[in-house]
Amino acid sequence: MTALAEREAQTPLALICGGGSLPLAVADSVAARGRKVLLFPLRGAADPRDYATRPHHWLYLGQYGKFARIARAAGCRELVLIGSLVRPSLTQIRPDIHVLLALPGILRAFRGGDDHLLSSIGKLVEQRGFTLRGAHEVAPDILAPVGALTRAQPGASEREDIALGFDYLRAAGRFDIGQAVVVSGRHVLAVEAVEGTDQMLARVAELRRNGRLRAPAGSGVLVKAPKPGQDRRFDLPTIGPQTVAAAVDAGLAGIAVVSGATVIAEPERLVQQADQAGIFVIGVPAAGE
Amino acid sequence: MTALAEREAQTPLALICGGGSLPLAVADSVAARGRKVLLFPLRGAADPRDYATRPHHWLYLGQYGKFARIARAAGCRELVLIGSLVRPSLTQIRPDIHVLLALPGILRAFRGGDDHLLSSIGKLVEQRGFTLRGAHEVAPDILAPVGALTRAQPGASEREDIALGFDYLRAAGRFDIGQAVVVSGRHVLAVEAVEGTDQMLARVAELRRNGRLRAPAGSGVLVKAPKPGQDRRFDLPTIGPQTVAAAVDAGLAGIAVVSGATVIAEPERLVQQADQAGIFVIGVPAAGE
């Protein structure tokens, strides 16, 4: 760590929070390391009930000036953007003058994939003197480790499905589409794009129910990976208890993610749920690592 | 054409018919060329009502002996397999001795992608002395021509989406998955795998209805292509009036297919429907052709 990075790591951390429980898990992990955290939940994305008992400052997307004023006054130098962010409609954005200046770039980003949107927000923040960090840098214990988290382990057949899944995701990555795929018996059953992982799993459940998939329940693997070249500071693949529930409903044998590059939300509950259903959840090192 | 191929083309053509209206379109096209056609609809796939007024011989999948006996007696040397074939359950197969001999290979094929299943059936037929032809060889007028079939034409933005879609399908082709993708604003919205084109389009319609896609209706293109290396004798991509209806429901601007390598089912009705809705349907030469 450089001297600058060390000094920055001693300042309070600003956390801009989208939806879901992940921002709070990151906040708790950072606080447990003895670092102060400032929470900035985003209107329309974060759930007010989650923040009722914690000090916080609501932001509309685009309120860069309000954010910068509060964060600077508290001595923050580093910032993490985390949580789900459904692509906002224009009415949900309250641009201040800083954002208006960058608006042409942001609107261009909206027409590209999600990566462009997020990286343009990231650039905007860095241009104004804050350092953008990834949740995995400030709270490494939220990432999937190498190996099975569960009692169940993939068998030889599932290991082949996992390898094929990662192979596909590498090939498709340059198209800036989804990060997940369902593979069963060396056959790609479903590919995620805009609909998201949970909806893709619901589709597999439906294909099984209507008899289009004849493989018995307890076969097939959800394989999830970061896109190649993706900036991991603001967009890591995430699995949580709801992913396990959807995988069980889809009749899968398990879930494979990239170790060190996938966030596990609510790990205790996730593992308990997976063990109860008898499915595996495994972290696999990225190819070449 | 070789002398043998010429002699074979003068024999009656055996048509093994899966589901949908396409087998009948091929039968009509071949008959219009003055060639006799023998219809073998498949139980569980073809609709009995479609064959009520035409001479035909029902087959269970696997009744190779019955097929060979009737086809040889009629002087057939060439055979076309056409129409939709949902992967059959084992109870729908009535294997005769010829098929039983090949069963290990067929079962292996069932565990691979669709291409393996079809090519193994193809090999089985060829080993027994019939020549397998593609529908496009015996009825070339069923294929998409080069250029727009419709009054509407793709604009510059749609042309970019079409190019990106074909690019993606080439990259994903080696994984033996679906043959179609929806692209809008240089962004892949949906990828087809086992669920099929119509279900993928229904997903896009749903994403638009629930606000996940904010692009206005009348944007985005369905791009459909054969898999690279796919044996076109038994698995050509097909679009028909129901594809146009699903594309309209998904709010797309049009449909792009590979000219000379895509079957257009019921072309008059398809074009009329597309023109009414104001969407384009265009045949694009394959890259490098």
Side-chain angles (χ1 to χ4, degrees):
Chain A
M1 217 184 242
T2 65
L4 173 67
E6 232 169 85
R7 269 203 312 280
E8 286 196 335
Q10 284 159 15
T11 61
L13 179 73
L15 211 59
I16 297 186
C17 309
S21 59
L22 194 58
L24 301 172
V26 172
D28 290 343
S29 164
V30 173
R33 277 155 224 278
R35 185 171 183 186
K36 197 172 178 315
V37 180
L38 259 75
L39 297 174
F40 294 89
L42 283 172
R43 294 259 181 221
D47 185 339
R49 286 168 297 183
D50 289 342
Y51 294 85
T53 63
R54 302 168 183 247
H56 62 273
H57 308 275
W58 284 101
L59 291 181
Y60 282 95
L61 195 67
Q63 285 191 307
Y64 178 81
K66 177 182 177 183
F67 162 76
R69 187 168 38 79
I70 298 173
R72 284 210 184 103
C76 292
R77 304 297 307 140
E78 294 189 328
L79 147 82
V80 166
L81 281 167
I82 184 116
S84 62
L85 180 63
V86 171
R87 202 167 278 225
S89 71
L90 288 179
T91 56
Q92 285 174 304
I93 300 180
R94 306 228 172 149
D96 61 21
I97 184 65
H98 305 278
V99 171
L100 279 174
L101 290 173
L103 209 56
I106 293 181
L107 288 177
R108 249 197 318 278
F110 268 78
R111 290 195 292 265
D114 292 314
D115 278 2
H116 304 137
L117 172 58
L118 291 165
S119 66
S120 101
I121 293 174
K123 270 179 213 143
L124 184 63
V125 165
E126 300 212 307
Q127 280 164 10
R128 301 309 198 280
F130 287 92
T131 304
L132 190 68
R133 295 271 172 228
H136 59 297
E137 296 175 272
V138 297
D141 52 328
I142 63 169
L143 296 180
V146 175
L149 295 165
T150 46
R151 284 197 295 271
Q153 300 262 355
S157 160
E158 281 92 21
R159 287 189 183 274
E160 285 185 53
D161 288 344
I162 291 169
L164 179 64
F166 283 128
D167 196 15
Y168 169 81
L169 291 171
R170 264 191 302 278
R174 72 180 168 98
F175 293 95
D176 192 18
I177 57 173
Q179 308 166 293
V181 77
V182 174
V183 185
S184 178
R186 267 73 65 214
H187 195 197
V188 176
L189 301 184
V191 176
E192 175 189 338
V194 169
E195 74 275 21
T197 303
D198 289 356
Q199 276 215 35
M200 176 187 60
L201 290 172
R203 180 157 85 243
V204 174
E206 176 62 25
L207 287 169
R208 232 189 259 275
R209 270 193 292 275
N210 71 21
R212 291 284 307 277
L213 298 181
R214 296 239 168 67
S219 62
V221 183
L222 165 66
V223 183
K224 213 169 148 83
K227 297 175 212 170
Q230 167 174 333
D231 190 329
R232 299 186 179 177
R233 289 175 307 172
F234 32 74
D235 190 18
L236 277 174
T238 300
I239 60 168
Q242 88 290 353
T243 319
V244 170
V248 170
D249 195 43
L252 301 187
I255 300 174
V257 299
V258 177
S259 58
T262 309
V263 172
I264 309 282
E266 302 180 58
E268 296 81 9
R269 200 150 76 82
L270 177 144
V271 170
Q272 188 190 24
Q273 222 174 297
D275 278 343
Q276 234 159 42
I279 75 168
F280 65 82
V281 177
I282 190 168
V284 178
E289 278 176 25
Chain B
M1 216 185 242
T2 66
L4 173 65
E6 233 169 87
R7 268 204 311 283
E8 286 195 334
Q10 285 158 13
T11 61
L13 179 73
L15 210 58
I16 297 186
C17 308
S21 60
L22 194 58
L24 301 173
V26 172
D28 290 344
S29 164
V30 173
R33 278 155 223 279
R35 185 170 183 188
K36 196 172 180 310
V37 180
L38 260 75
L39 297 174
F40 294 89
L42 282 171
R43 293 260 181 219
D47 184 341
R49 286 168 299 183
D50 289 341
Y51 294 85
T53 63
R54 301 166 183 249
H56 62 273
H57 308 275
W58 283 101
L59 290 182
Y60 282 94
L61 194 66
Q63 285 190 308
Y64 178 81
K66 177 180 177 186
F67 162 76
R69 186 168 38 77
I70 298 172
R72 284 209 185 102
C76 290
R77 305 296 308 140
E78 293 189 327
L79 149 81
V80 167
L81 282 167
I82 184 116
S84 63
L85 180 62
V86 171
R87 201 167 280 224
S89 71
L90 288 178
T91 57
Q92 285 175 303
I93 299 181
R94 306 230 172 150
D96 62 20
I97 183 67
H98 305 277
V99 171
L100 279 175
L101 290 173
L103 209 55
I106 292 182
L107 288 177
R108 248 196 318 278
F110 267 78
R111 288 195 294 264
D114 292 314
D115 277 2
H116 304 138
L117 173 60
L118 291 165
S119 66
S120 102
I121 293 174
K123 269 179 214 144
L124 186 64
V125 165
E126 299 211 310
Q127 279 164 11
R128 301 307 198 285
F130 287 92
T131 304
L132 190 67
R133 294 270 173 229
H136 60 296
E137 295 175 274
V138 297
D141 52 329
I142 64 169
L143 297 180
V146 175
L149 295 164
T150 47
R151 283 197 296 270
Q153 300 262 354
S157 160
E158 282 90 22
R159 288 190 183 272
E160 285 184 51
D161 288 344
I162 292 169
L164 178 65
F166 283 129
D167 195 17
Y168 169 83
L169 292 170
R170 265 190 303 277
R174 71 180 168 98
F175 294 94
D176 192 17
I177 57 174
Q179 308 164 296
V181 79
V182 174
V183 185
S184 179
R186 268 73 68 214
H187 195 197
V188 176
L189 301 184
V191 176
E192 175 188 337
V194 169
E195 74 276 19
T197 303
D198 289 355
Q199 275 214 37
M200 177 187 59
L201 290 173
R203 182 158 85 244
V204 173
E206 176 62 25
L207 286 170
R208 233 188 257 273
R209 269 193 292 275
N210 69 22
R212 291 285 307 279
L213 299 182
R214 296 239 168 67
S219 62
V221 183
L222 166 66
V223 184
K224 213 168 148 83
K227 297 177 211 169
Q230 166 176 332
D231 189 329
R232 298 186 179 179
R233 289 175 306 171
F234 32 76
D235 190 19
L236 277 175
T238 300
I239 60 169
Q242 89 288 355
T243 318
V244 169
V248 170
D249 194 43
L252 301 187
I255 299 174
V257 299
V258 178
S259 59
T262 310
V263 173
I264 308 282
E266 300 180 62
E268 294 81 8
R269 200 150 76 83
L270 177 142
V271 170
Q272 187 189 25
Q273 222 174 296
D275 277 344
Q276 234 158 41
I279 75 168
F280 65 82
V281 177
I282 190 169
V284 178
E289 274 173 27

